[in-house]
């Protein structure tokens, strides 16, 4: 069991009570209903989320009071559950429970990732090539391994339940499945080797992708058999800073792959032609996606280049990311009138580069999106902000500008 001082326990209990209080607020309940309407394609306005993770130290560290390391981690998790609602005033809803996910793992080709970090300790890094020449190494690649640490999950539930479960219920929460085939391979080969392998060893590369695809499907079937999948119809995260709220997927366990959300992307394919993407990447992505109930696709890659040759052929696509490098006008024309959400990621430069917020520039940036996405189901998620220059008010103002632009320029 977790050994927590009385002082740390009291801190956690106060935060748990505060989360429950916010979860029961009328504003939060309204936003939850709006998320359901949005993902059911009946929304009256675009939904907004400003993702905290990439700059959370600037927001959380000054608030943390627990002294024990484990208690401090739980304290940070509690804050992450409601800091957006309370400080940023975006549309991220507050749960009325404390979530715990099953502790599972999947190791492609049973190889541990090796990477080198930038000497200054920043986010820059490169992945070491562990596969090399596919003509020689492909036969030696092992089957991927996977598993479940059930005891660790149950321990986590027991600890948090004892700390504050009488105030804030603790429960196992499902997650949308995240699948990034080319990223898994990139982490084992590095970008350069991966791309040259497509050209130098096309048949071997396709075989490697097929093997990885089959291993992942075996892992997903394992999770299904072990009843690890749970409904993804509420607060569950659905990749790219979005949420699962909907009434169309199965609401109660047990659930199968065909009952839940899947998120996929292939940022590493950005340099491929549409024809190469359709030949080397898309078949494996579609093979996996077809097993799931609903698909969210994309990250930073511009999806417009692959739309006609591949992505439009997904049978269950419900949400697609429109990154800062994407042709918004083209995608707006393609998605208009369809039940596929135009999930816009604005450029992070307006808030993350300069200390002062360029309000006029950002306003024009958002209004451009509102113009091209008219007639679409629009969602706006701000991601990839690595500093807010310790200015939380700037984030709140940023969100307020988006709301003002929607109020003045959005016609549903």
């Amino acid at each position: 069991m977790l050994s927590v001082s009385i002082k740390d326990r009291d801190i956690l209990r106060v935060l748990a009570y505060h989360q429950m209080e916010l979860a029961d607020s009328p504003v939060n309940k309204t936003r939850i209903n709006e998320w359901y309407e949005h993902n059911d394609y009946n929304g009256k306005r675009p939904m907004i989320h400003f993702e905290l993770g990439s700059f959370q130290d600037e927001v959380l560290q000054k608030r943390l009071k627990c002294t024990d390391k484990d208690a401090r981690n739980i304290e940070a998790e509690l804050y992450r559950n409601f800091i957006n609602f309370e400080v940023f005033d975006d549309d991220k809803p507050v749960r009325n429970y404390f979530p715990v996910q099953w502790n599972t793992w999947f190791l492609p080709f049973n190889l541990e990732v090796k990477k080198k970090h930038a000497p200054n300790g920043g986010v820059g890094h490169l992945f070491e090539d562990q596969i090399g020449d596919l003509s020689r190494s492909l036969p030696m690649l092992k089957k991927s391994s996977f598993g479940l640490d059930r005891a660790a999950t149950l321990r986590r539930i027991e600890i948090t339940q004892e700390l504050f479960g009488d105030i804030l219920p603790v429960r196992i929460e499902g997650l949308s499945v995240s699948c990034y085939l080319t990223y898994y391979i990139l982490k084992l080969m590095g970008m350069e080797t991966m791309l040259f392998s497509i050209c130098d060893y096309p048949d071997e590369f396709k075989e490697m992708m097929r093997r990885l695809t089959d291993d992942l499907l075996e892992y997903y079937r394992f999770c299904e058999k072990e009843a690890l999948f749970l409904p993804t119809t509420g607060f569950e995260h659905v990749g790219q800073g979005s949420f699962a709220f909907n009434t169309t997927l199965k609401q109660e366990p047990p659930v199968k792959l065909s009952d839940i959300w899947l998120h996929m992307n292939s940022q590493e394919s950005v340099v491929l032609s549409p024809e190469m993407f359709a030949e080397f990447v898309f078949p494996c992505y579609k093979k996996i996606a077809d097993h799931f109930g609903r698909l969210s696709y994309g990250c930073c890659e511009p999806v417009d280049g692959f739309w006609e040759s591949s992505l439009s052929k997904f049978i269950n696509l419900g949400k697609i990311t429109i990154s800062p490098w994407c042709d918004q006008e083209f995608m707006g024309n393609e998605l208009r009138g369809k039940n596929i959400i135009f999930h816009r990621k604005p450029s992070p430069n307006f808030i993350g580069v300069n200390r002062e917020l360029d309000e006029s520039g950002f306003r024009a940036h958002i209004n451009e999106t509102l113009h091209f996405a008219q007639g679409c189901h629009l969602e706006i998620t701000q991601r990839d902000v690595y500093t807010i220059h310790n200015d939380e008010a700037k984030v709140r103002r940023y969100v307020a500008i988006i709301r003002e632009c929607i109020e003045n320029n959005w016609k549903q």
Side-chain angles (χ1 to χ4, degrees):
M1 290 298 295
L2 178 67
S3 178
V4 175
S5 69
I6 294 176
K7 182 179 178 181
D8 282 358
R9 185 174 183 271
D10 288 344
I11 290 169
L12 297 178
R13 290 178 66 80
V14 167
L15 288 177
Y17 179 83
H18 187 54
Q19 178 178 329
M20 198 64 174
E21 195 174 43
L22 294 175
D24 286 337
S25 69
V27 172
N28 189 60
K29 291 178 180 178
T30 296
R31 288 179 181 169
I32 290 171
N33 288 334
E34 289 175 323
W35 273 106
Y36 276 113
E37 291 174 346
H38 172 70
N39 282 337
D40 284 348
Y41 311 114
N42 296 314
K44 298 176 180 63
R45 66 171 179 90
M47 301 303 288
I48 307 165
H49 177 208
F50 198 113
E51 203 170 60
L52 171 68
S54 50
F55 63 92
Q56 62 181 348
D57 285 351
E58 293 184 23
V59 177
L60 298 182
Q61 290 303 316
K62 61 188 176 186
R63 290 178 164 85
L64 302 183
K65 298 176 182 177
C66 288
T67 54
D68 176 82
K69 180 181 177 182
D70 291 331
R72 198 172 174 87
N73 288 336
I74 296 173
E75 183 185 12
E77 193 167 343
L78 285 164
Y79 271 116
R80 282 193 290 269
N81 287 336
F82 61 78
I83 205 77
N84 283 64
F85 182 90
E86 193 166 54
V87 178
F88 302 158
D89 193 33
D90 65 357
D91 293 324
K92 181 181 179 181
V94 182
R95 294 171 171 86
N96 58 357
Y97 60 92
F98 185 87
V100 175
Q101 285 84 37
W102 285 111
N103 189 340
T104 71
W105 50 273
F106 176 83
L107 194 61
F109 305 120
N110 203 32
L111 289 171
E112 295 284 353
V113 174
K114 298 178 181 179
K115 60 181 178 180
K116 295 179 181 178
H117 289 272
N120 63 0
V123 296
H125 61 271
L126 62 82
F127 295 106
E128 295 184 23
D129 179 12
Q130 300 184 64
I131 296 178
D133 188 329
L134 268 180
S135 65
R136 295 195 299 268
S137 61
L138 182 62
M140 295 182 286
L141 288 179
K142 297 179 181 178
K143 187 175 180 60
S144 302
S145 58
F146 53 81
L148 160 70
D149 191 338
R150 192 180 295 272
T153 306
L154 297 177
R155 232 177 4 255
R156 172 77 165 170
I157 294 172
E158 185 180 2
I159 288 169
T160 49
Q161 180 67 36
E162 182 174 320
L163 286 170
F164 48 71
D166 57 322
I167 300 172
L168 180 68
V170 177
R171 79 180 201 204
I172 293 182
E173 179 183 73
L175 283 177
S176 69
V177 176
S178 296
C179 176
Y180 315 126
L181 286 166
T182 51
Y183 184 54
Y184 300 149
I185 289 176
L186 168 73
K187 290 196 292 184
L188 297 177
M189 301 185 83
M191 189 71 160
E192 184 175 352
T193 303
M194 184 183 79
L195 293 176
F196 273 110
S197 295
I198 294 174
C199 298
D200 294 339
Y201 309 111
D203 292 338
E204 288 83 355
F205 187 86
K206 289 178 184 177
E207 175 62 23
M208 179 172 59
M209 287 283 286
R210 282 194 293 267
R211 286 172 57 177
L212 182 57
T213 298
D214 290 343
D215 288 352
L216 275 164
L217 287 171
E218 186 177 344
Y219 165 59
Y220 297 150
R221 293 187 188 102
F222 162 80
C223 293
E224 189 178 71
K225 182 180 178 182
E226 293 292 320
L228 305 184
F229 290 136
L230 295 168
T232 52
T233 55
F235 292 93
E236 299 83 18
H237 186 243
V238 183
Q240 293 302 293
S242 191
F243 306 98
F245 297 99
N246 70 91
T247 62
T248 59
L249 295 176
K250 190 176 178 185
Q251 306 286 308
E252 300 292 336
V255 295
K256 301 180 293 184
L257 297 181
S258 58
D259 298 318
I260 62 176
W261 277 95
L262 168 70
H263 176 253
M264 309 182 94
N265 68 56
S266 184
Q267 299 179 88
E268 304 71 34
S269 299
V270 65
V271 297
L272 299 182
S273 68
E275 294 76 18
M276 291 184 74
F277 182 83
E279 180 180 355
F280 290 93
V281 177
F282 185 68
C284 291
Y285 273 70
K286 190 172 187 303
K287 181 177 180 180
I288 290 176
D290 283 353
H291 286 79
F292 286 81
R294 210 160 171 189
L295 172 66
S296 173
Y297 186 89
C299 187
C300 288
E301 71 270 39
V303 295
D304 55 286
F306 300 142
W307 177 255
E308 292 179 333
S309 68
S310 301
L311 303 181
S312 62
K313 296 178 174 59
F314 281 125
I315 60 175
N316 51 2
L317 184 63
K319 191 171 298 197
I320 189 161
T321 296
I322 313 299
S323 75
W325 300 274
C326 190
D327 185 334
Q328 292 188 87
E329 182 176 12
F330 174 83
M331 290 306 299
N333 289 333
E334 291 297 316
L335 300 181
R336 189 166 295 114
K338 295 178 181 176
N339 285 341
I340 301 173
I341 291 169
F342 185 114
H343 190 188
R344 175 61 170 165
K345 287 172 55 180
S347 170
N349 294 349
F350 293 96
I351 194 166
V353 175
N354 297 320
R355 188 169 295 277
E356 298 296 323
L357 176 59
D358 176 6
E359 291 198 11
S360 61
F362 180 59
R363 197 179 299 274
H365 186 61
I366 292 299
N367 283 334
E368 182 182 53
T369 291
L370 296 176
H371 171 71
F372 289 129
Q374 287 292 340
C376 302
H377 304 284
L378 175 62
E379 181 176 336
I380 299 174
T381 297
Q382 184 59 69
R383 308 189 76 228
D384 305 318
V385 176
Y386 289 92
T387 180
I388 57 170
H389 304 282
N390 293 293
D391 187 355
E392 295 175 6
K394 185 167 68 166
V395 180
R396 194 176 183 94
R397 177 60 185 152
Y398 193 88
V399 172
I401 289 172
I402 299 176
R403 293 199 190 280
E404 291 169 11
C405 290
I406 291 171
E407 178 68 25
N408 294 330
N409 297 291
W410 183 252
K411 300 179 183 66
Q412 188 63 34

